Amino acid sequence: MRVEIWSDIACPWCYVGKARFEKALAAFPHRDEVEVVHRSFELDPGRAKGDVQPVITMLTRKYGMSEAQAQAGEDNLGAQAAAEGLDYRTRDRDHGNTFDMHRLLHFAKEHGRQDALIQILYRANFAEERSVFAEGDERLVELATEAGLDAGTARAVLADPDAYADEVRADEREAAQLGATGVPFFVLDRKYGVSGAQPAEVFTQALTQAWGERPPLRLVGQGDGDTCGPDGCAVPQHG
């Protein structure tokens, strides 16, 4: 079974939702047969690469809330994250464009390091003092290397604005076609969708239901074809 997760590194509920989903997946009896794929979704696609500002400033301008309201929201997110065992800095974080991070995540997927990189990017953005936005490409190269990727190749990907850009845009178009207007957005076997950072129990229910409704294998060419089994292979007898 495949679970696709549309998310953005700038999305705190994606950070929390990933932890809740993974808690449900860890307890799922068929967890070893579940493939998880991360898909791209930008919350602020129109923001220029060099346009970095404090999170509180972004929230007040984008949503028209007061600084006190924005800070209260961050404090609430900090508590939600802590309940999932996650570190979360509720003060002095910044916000910027995440397109290059999504390109790197597609690069990481090709090398089997996508989940490792997205978790490292989340941690760097939400829990560490150093910015993933303000320090430029070398900060992202450092994090990609931590995820087990080659530094030189990661640097080359970031230097080429077209590298994996089509893959990011394709993910975003697909999200729109599926009806996703926000993230995190979880799609199970292209049959069920779960929107938002739901409690682990909701993910458990969705995994169980999606698994139980998988169509049975339909055999083509029913008959007595030669096979090998626990007792060996049938060898035709020639008289």
Side-chain angles (χ1 to χ4, degrees):
M1 183 168 71
R2 169 179 283 197
V3 177
E4 297 162 280
I5 307 174
W6 272 264
S7 59
D8 192 11
I9 300 303
C11 165
W13 289 117
C14 296
Y15 179 47
V16 173
K18 182 176 186 292
R20 291 175 177 172
F21 169 75
E22 289 177 345
K23 182 183 293 184
L25 183 61
F28 186 57
H30 308 285
R31 60 186 176 277
D32 293 337
E33 298 174 74
V34 177
E35 176 192 13
V36 178
V37 178
H38 297 282
R39 302 291 192 191
S40 301
F41 190 106
E42 294 173 275
L43 291 173
D44 205 352
R47 182 177 291 271
K49 181 175 179 178
D51 184 4
V52 180
Q53 64 182 168
V55 166
I56 297 300
T57 302
M58 180 274 294
L59 291 172
T60 57
R61 292 178 179 176
K62 188 171 184 177
Y63 300 107
M65 59 179 65
S66 68
E67 287 193 8
Q69 289 172 322
Q71 189 58 65
E74 282 293 285
D75 290 340
N76 175 58
L77 278 162
Q80 298 275 353
E84 304 303 330
L86 301 172
D87 293 327
Y88 189 97
R89 296 179 67 238
T90 60
R91 301 291 189 278
D92 303 322
R93 286 196 307 107
D94 59 11
H95 175 82
N97 181 282
T98 58
F99 187 63
D100 284 347
M101 297 181 206
H102 286 295
R103 294 197 299 116
L104 270 183
L105 285 165
H106 277 279
F107 162 61
K109 181 176 182 290
E110 287 189 350
H111 296 274
R113 307 302 300 163
Q114 189 187 48
D115 190 71
L117 180 58
I118 198 169
Q119 191 61 36
I120 287 169
L121 290 171
Y122 278 143
R123 184 206 69 209
N125 184 39
F126 292 111
E128 296 182 359
E129 290 187 15
R130 293 177 61 191
S131 173
V132 296
F133 301 107
E135 293 191 27
D137 288 354
E138 282 307 304
R139 174 64 169 147
L140 296 183
V141 169
E142 176 186 316
L143 296 171
T145 304
E146 184 181 342
L149 297 165
D150 178 72
T153 310
R155 189 176 291 111
V157 168
L158 291 169
D160 178 3
D162 293 328
Y164 300 98
D166 288 345
E167 287 83 347
V168 175
R169 297 306 184 209
D171 277 357
E172 293 175 336
R173 287 194 300 270
E174 198 163 12
Q177 291 167 0
L178 290 170
T181 57
V183 285
F185 187 68
F186 301 78
V187 177
L188 291 77
D189 259 0
R190 291 299 171 107
K191 288 185 64 177
Y192 294 98
V194 178
S195 180
Q198 300 287 347
E201 294 78 11
V202 174
F203 291 117
T204 296
Q205 179 183 358
L207 286 166
T208 302
Q209 187 167 349
W211 183 270
E213 295 185 15
R214 295 172 75 217
L217 185 67
R218 302 179 68 177
L219 296 177
V220 177
Q222 299 280 4
D224 297 323
D226 295 327
T227 61
C228 295
D231 298 323
C233 300
V235 178
Q237 301 296 315
H238 298 284

